[in-house]
């Protein structure tokens, strides 16, 4: 599916769900208000002689009670939203997950970490934090609000029962939820439903309290009304929750089909996700989790996680239907029930892709790519640049099997000492310092002196030990290393993180000639630690001429000495976009670029594809994309919330090979 269309669709679906749940909540509020007003009337009169219903319908009383009920539901949703605001790690902790030790020697856990890292690097997004649930059921989940706070959890049963290819299919399924905006939608559903549930919980507490009060008192006045009110609120609250769960289940079932099809698209191995579903169907414990929060988060799971009373409330389609969607020729046979023991190690690289199998669902999304490059093709932009731009936009949020193989090879080419350093707290900080320190000897000396004063001694020792492998880093290897290091950097204490960020800013301030890539990588690290700025996306390219001029001039100038191509590229884009752009004459300062990115963060989702196409034309205006230019483009795209696989110039010419041009799921 088109990444930008998926993001828009997720936002529209959120709006529709809010409307549907709003109608359910409105009905709940009306019924609850009547019940509360009637109880207040009975308690106030102490007698049934008057007409209690008429008094309960008195507008002032009914309005006051409705206001209280609305506040209760709203506060319940708000409290749950604030509890989940930190992202996927909160959900993982609530489900009993433990953070995966990034230096683990457990073979199954190491295999999981490798699969997640490969998929993240292939997708051009931050490596999510990985959690292990010590549950023998086969299940997994992805949770979070944005790319920067995503978390993936996998049960011990899945680690032991699935081989590498099947595990890769499950992880690809969860990455689909991340890339298609399902995570934020799912957490908003949790918050909304919790607000409805509060009414039922209030009724239960009231019923319990009034029952105890009645036992302590000989007088029965008002107790019947309180008991009736508590029972009514319980019924209404849980009925509202049931209606909300019906809506949640209907949406979740469709998103699961989409995620299964995306897993086939990403890996080109229907037998991966299909095999995992078959193993799940044969597993004696299934996907049911033992944690008490499984029901609340059931729509996040790979498998159902809980028992459903009917198909209407089931958050997942039947396993047979899911298997047949990805393997239409399945004969109905299942593998033997897996023994719960560590699976033997498989080869690091899975079988090479031969393209989609017959009947495998494929997803495409070239509408945004064509629309974004239509202006470029209609202006003076070269046809080759427009073709590459279209391929770049089409690849956002759509990693292919070739991207996964490319990520695996790229990681295999990096010095093992640097890979190990990315997984250890002190060494990871030293690794990032070394990557971001400038090439100019005078700048490096000043930066090293600053780190001697500000950085911790153990980090300085690690930096010294990594100096030799860092000096041999090749273009295209910096970004993957930062992606690997981000999960462990997020686990730093508050004091450690603040000191680390202060050191990063100091390094940039001391750089005599900061390059665009150096700035982009530093910004990426800082955003990866602090999370994406959730600004309103209500601005248009025409409103952002200044920030756009600064960013495009910087990208066009990167790696070039001659100013003429920079001027030509920006002028062509100004004509193509219909936005007045000025060429910034001097290399921009990091603070100016940060200012520009803060404003571009408010760009409407519908115009981000056009921005990305313009950015790609800036780095390809000389007819090729160098590895450092690809890193720069991917890093800037990442900070704009557009996960872009890092490919060569030729690999970006058009959509990934083997994909259909029609959306079939």
């Amino acid at each position: 599916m088109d990444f930008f269309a998926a993001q828009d669709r997720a936002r529209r679906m959120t709006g529709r769900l809010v409307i549907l749940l709003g109608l359910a909540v409105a009905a709940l509020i009306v019924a609850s208000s009547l019940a509360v007003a009637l109880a207040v009337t009975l308690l106030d009169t102490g007698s049934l002689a008057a007409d209690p219903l008429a008094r309960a319908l008195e507008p002032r009383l009914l309005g006051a009670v409705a206001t209280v009920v609305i506040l209760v539901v709203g506060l319940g949703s708000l409290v749950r939203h604030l509890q989940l605001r930190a992202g996927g790690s909160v959900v993982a902790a609530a489900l009993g997950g433990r953070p995966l030790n990034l230096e683990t020697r457990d073979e199954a856990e190491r295999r999981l970490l490798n699969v997640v890292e490969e998929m993240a690097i292939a997708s051009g997004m931050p490596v999510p934090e990985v959690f292990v649930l010590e549950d023998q059921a086969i299940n997994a989940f992805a949770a979070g609000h944005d790319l920067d706070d995503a978390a993936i959890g996998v049960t011990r049963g899945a680690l032991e029962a699935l081989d590498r290819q099947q595990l890769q299919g499950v992880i690809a399924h969860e990455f689909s939820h991340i890339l298609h905006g399902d995570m934020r939608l799912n957490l908003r559903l949790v918050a909304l439903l919790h607000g409805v549930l509060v009414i039922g919980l209030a009724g239960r507490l009231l019923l319990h309290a009034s029952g105890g009060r009645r036992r302590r008192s000989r007088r029965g006045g008002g107790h019947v009304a309180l008991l009736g009110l508590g029972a009514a609120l319980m019924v209404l609250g849980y009925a509202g929750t049931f209606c909300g769960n019906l809506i949640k289940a209907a949406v979740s079932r469709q998103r699961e089909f989409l995620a299964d099809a995306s897993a086939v698209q990403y890996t080109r191995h229907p037998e991966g996700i299909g095999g995992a579903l078959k193993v799940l169907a044969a597993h004696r414990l299934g996907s049911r989790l033992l944690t008490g929060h499984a029901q609340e988060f059931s729509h996040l799971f790979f498998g159902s996680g809980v028992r459903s009373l009917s198909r209407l409330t089931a958050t997942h389609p039947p396993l047979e239907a899911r298997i047949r969607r990805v393997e239409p020729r399945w004969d109905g046979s299942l593998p033997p029930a897996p023994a719960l023991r560590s699976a033997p190690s498989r080869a690091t690289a899975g079988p090479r892709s031969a393209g989609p199998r017959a009947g495998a669902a494929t997803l495409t999304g070239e509408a945004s790519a064509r629309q974004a490059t239509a202006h470029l093709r209609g202006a003076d932009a070269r046809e080759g640049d427009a073709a590459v731009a279209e391929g770049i936009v089409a690849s956002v949020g759509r990693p292919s099997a070739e991207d996964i193989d490319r990520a695996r090879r790229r990681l295999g080419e990096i010095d093992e000492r640097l890979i190990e350093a990315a997984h250890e707290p002190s060494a990871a900080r030293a690794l990032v310092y070394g990557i971001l320190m400038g090439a100019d000897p005078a700048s490096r000396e000043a930066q090293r002196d600053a780190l001697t004063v500000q950085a911790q001694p153990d980090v300085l020792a690690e930096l010294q030990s990594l100096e030799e492998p860092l000096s041999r880093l090749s273009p295209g290897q910096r970004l993957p290393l930062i992606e690997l290091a981000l999960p462990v950097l997020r686990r730093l204490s508050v004091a450690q993180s603040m000191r680390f960020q202060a050191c990063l800013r100091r390094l940039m301030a001391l750089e005599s000639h900061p390059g665009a890539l150096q700035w982009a990588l530093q910004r990426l690290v800082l955003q990866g630690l602090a999370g994406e700025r959730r600004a309103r996306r209500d601005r248009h390219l025409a409103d952002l001429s200044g920030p756009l001029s600064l960013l495009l001039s910087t990208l066009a100038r990167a790696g070039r000495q001659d100013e003429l191509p920079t001027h030509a590229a920006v002028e062509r884009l100004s004509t193509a976009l219909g936005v007045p752009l000025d060429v910034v004459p001097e290399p921009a300062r990091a603070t100016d670029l940060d200012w520009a990115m803060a404003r571009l963060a408010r760009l409407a989702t519908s115009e981000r594809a056009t921005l990305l196409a313009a950015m790609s034309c800036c780095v390809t205006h000389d007819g090729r994309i160098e590895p450092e230019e690809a890193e720069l483009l991917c890093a800037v795209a990442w900070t704009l919330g557009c996960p872009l696989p890092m490919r060569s110039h030729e690999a970006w010419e058009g959509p990934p090979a083997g994909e259909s041009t029609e959306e079939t799921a």
Side-chain angles (χ1 to χ4, degrees):
M1 174 179 283
D2 185 328
F3 173 82
F4 301 98
Q7 296 294 313
D8 274 337
R9 179 179 176 181
R11 286 182 172 82
R12 289 195 303 270
M13 188 175 295
T14 300
R16 292 168 186 167
L17 284 174
V18 169
I19 292 173
L20 287 174
L21 286 174
L23 293 174
V25 170
L28 171 66
I29 288 171
V30 170
S32 301
S33 299
L34 285 173
V36 173
L38 184 59
V40 169
T41 301
L42 293 175
L43 288 171
D44 183 50
T45 61
S47 170
L48 297 179
D51 185 356
L53 184 58
R55 288 202 58 189
L57 293 175
E58 198 271 323
R60 183 176 298 178
L61 175 61
L62 194 59
V65 172
T67 301
V68 172
V69 174
I70 291 172
L71 287 175
V72 169
V73 173
L75 286 174
S77 296
L78 179 62
V79 167
R80 195 57 175 147
H81 170 74
L82 294 176
Q83 290 173 341
L84 299 173
R85 192 174 184 179
S89 59
V90 176
V91 176
L95 292 170
R98 64 167 176 82
L100 179 65
N101 179 9
L102 300 180
E103 299 178 278
T104 181
R105 299 302 177 188
D106 182 274
E107 189 175 358
E109 293 181 357
R110 173 56 59 182
R111 183 173 65 244
L112 169 63
L113 184 61
N114 290 341
V115 169
V116 172
E117 290 176 343
E118 290 169 5
M119 187 65 67
I121 292 173
S123 304
M125 60 169 281
V127 177
E129 192 165 6
V130 184
F131 290 80
V132 175
L133 281 65
E134 297 298 340
D135 194 307
Q136 292 300 319
I138 296 178
N139 222 324
F141 67 87
H145 295 282
D146 303 302
L147 298 178
D148 293 312
D149 63 18
I152 285 180
V154 180
T155 62
R156 176 64 60 181
L159 291 182
E160 296 180 346
L162 303 180
D163 63 28
R164 195 185 199 280
Q165 184 173 312
Q166 293 164 351
L167 183 63
Q168 187 181 61
V170 172
I171 297 303
H173 173 105
E174 299 306 329
F175 266 77
S176 170
H177 286 308
I178 296 173
L179 295 171
H180 289 156
D182 294 342
M183 295 190 309
R184 182 181 298 180
L185 174 65
N186 288 337
L187 290 190
R188 287 180 177 176
L189 275 173
V190 171
L192 288 170
L193 289 175
H194 185 77
V196 177
L197 181 62
V198 167
I199 296 294
L201 295 176
R204 178 191 288 182
L205 291 174
L206 185 59
L207 194 63
H208 178 75
S210 61
R213 180 181 174 185
R214 183 177 183 180
R215 287 191 296 270
R216 293 190 299 269
S217 176
R218 294 182 180 180
R219 297 180 60 189
H223 290 127
V224 174
L226 286 175
L227 286 170
L229 175 61
L233 290 180
M234 275 190 65
V235 171
L236 291 171
Y238 290 117
T241 303
F242 177 76
C243 293
N245 283 330
L246 289 179
I247 299 172
K248 176 183 78 173
V251 173
S252 177
R253 288 193 294 270
Q254 292 305 313
R255 305 307 286 177
E256 290 303 314
F257 278 133
L258 175 62
D260 287 343
S262 295
V264 177
Q265 175 193 341
Y266 296 164
T267 65
R268 302 284 172 81
H269 295 305
E271 60 273 16
I273 184 68
L277 291 169
K278 293 174 191 175
V279 172
L280 173 57
H283 191 46
R284 61 184 177 85
L285 297 179
S287 61
R288 187 181 181 190
L289 299 177
L290 299 179
T291 174
H293 289 278
Q295 181 66 51
E296 183 181 18
F297 299 110
S298 60
H299 57 303
L300 276 66
F301 299 140
F302 172 73
S304 60
V306 296
R307 289 181 179 175
S308 300
L309 298 177
S310 70
R311 289 192 176 184
L312 290 176
T313 58
T315 55
H316 291 65
L319 287 175
E320 180 181 353
R322 294 175 66 183
I323 295 171
R324 292 198 183 280
R325 283 284 186 108
V326 296
E327 294 188 18
R329 299 180 182 178
W330 177 49
D331 60 5
S333 62
L334 295 175
L340 300 180
R341 55 184 175 81
S342 295
S345 176
R346 297 294 182 105
T348 301
R352 291 192 59 80
S353 169
R357 294 261 307 264
T362 57
L363 303 175
T364 65
E366 301 166 27
S368 291
R370 293 196 186 101
Q371 183 178 359
T373 56
H375 302 298
L376 304 178
R377 294 183 186 278
D380 295 332
R382 297 181 307 181
E383 181 64 24
D385 291 351
V388 173
E390 183 173 326
I392 288 174
V393 175
S395 69
V396 174
R398 296 171 58 210
S400 66
E402 289 79 9
D403 290 320
I404 298 174
D405 289 340
R406 194 176 293 114
R408 187 180 297 122
R409 290 195 301 271
R410 186 173 290 121
L411 289 175
E413 294 167 356
I414 298 176
D415 193 304
E416 186 63 31
R417 289 172 291 179
L418 299 179
I419 297 290
E420 292 178 358
H423 295 122
E424 197 278 322
S426 296
R429 282 173 279 176
L431 176 66
V432 174
Y433 292 152
I435 290 174
L436 296 182
M437 290 173 70
D440 178 63
S443 296
R444 288 185 68 88
E445 189 64 30
Q447 290 168 335
R448 191 176 294 278
D449 291 342
L451 289 177
T452 302
V453 175
Q454 286 187 271
Q456 293 178 314
D458 56 335
V459 177
L460 292 173
E462 293 286 356
L463 179 60
Q464 185 174 1
S465 67
L466 294 175
E467 188 170 350
E468 188 269 329
L470 280 170
S471 67
R472 294 190 289 106
L473 268 181
S474 301
Q477 295 181 344
R478 300 176 182 85
L479 182 58
L481 282 171
I482 286 178
E483 290 182 81
L484 294 182
L486 274 176
V488 73
L489 294 176
R490 294 192 193 104
R491 297 183 186 180
L492 297 175
S493 68
V494 174
Q496 289 175 328
S497 182
M498 291 181 65
R499 176 181 289 193
F500 174 61
Q501 294 180 53
C503 288
L504 290 183
R505 293 187 176 93
R506 184 61 177 160
L507 290 181
M508 185 61 67
L510 291 172
E511 180 59 48
S512 57
H513 302 289
L517 178 59
Q518 189 179 4
W519 159 77
L521 292 177
Q522 186 228 31
R523 181 175 177 83
L524 186 151
V525 173
L526 294 175
Q527 181 171 305
L529 294 175
E532 182 181 347
R533 181 175 178 266
R534 297 165 194 165
R536 292 184 59 186
R537 298 184 177 183
D538 55 358
R539 305 299 296 274
H540 301 281
L541 288 173
D543 306 324
L544 300 167
S545 175
L548 193 58
S549 298
L550 189 60
L551 176 62
L552 296 182
S553 297
T554 299
L555 293 176
R557 183 178 288 110
R560 299 175 180 86
Q561 301 298 325
D562 190 356
E563 285 289 317
L564 290 179
T566 299
H567 281 262
V570 175
E571 288 173 1
R572 282 199 302 267
L573 289 172
S574 179
T575 302
L577 299 175
V579 178
L581 300 177
D582 298 318
V583 179
V584 178
E586 299 293 334
R589 297 177 300 176
T591 53
D592 294 333
L593 288 170
D594 287 336
W595 168 85
M597 294 299 292
R599 278 143 186 81
L600 289 170
R602 294 190 59 181
L603 183 65
T605 303
S606 59
E607 296 194 26
R608 294 198 171 211
T610 303
L611 172 59
L612 186 57
M615 289 163 49
S616 68
C617 284
C618 286
V619 299
T620 61
H621 67 78
D622 59 355
R624 58 180 294 130
I625 300 180
E626 300 294 341
E628 288 192 0
E629 293 174 325
E631 272 189 309
L632 173 60
L633 180 62
C634 291
V636 176
W638 176 348
T639 60
L640 288 170
C642 303
L644 180 65
M646 191 164 68
R647 301 174 181 171
S648 65
H649 185 280
E650 295 77 11
W652 262 328
E653 290 183 343
E659 291 192 3
S660 171
T661 58
E662 295 182 2
E663 187 173 324
T664 59

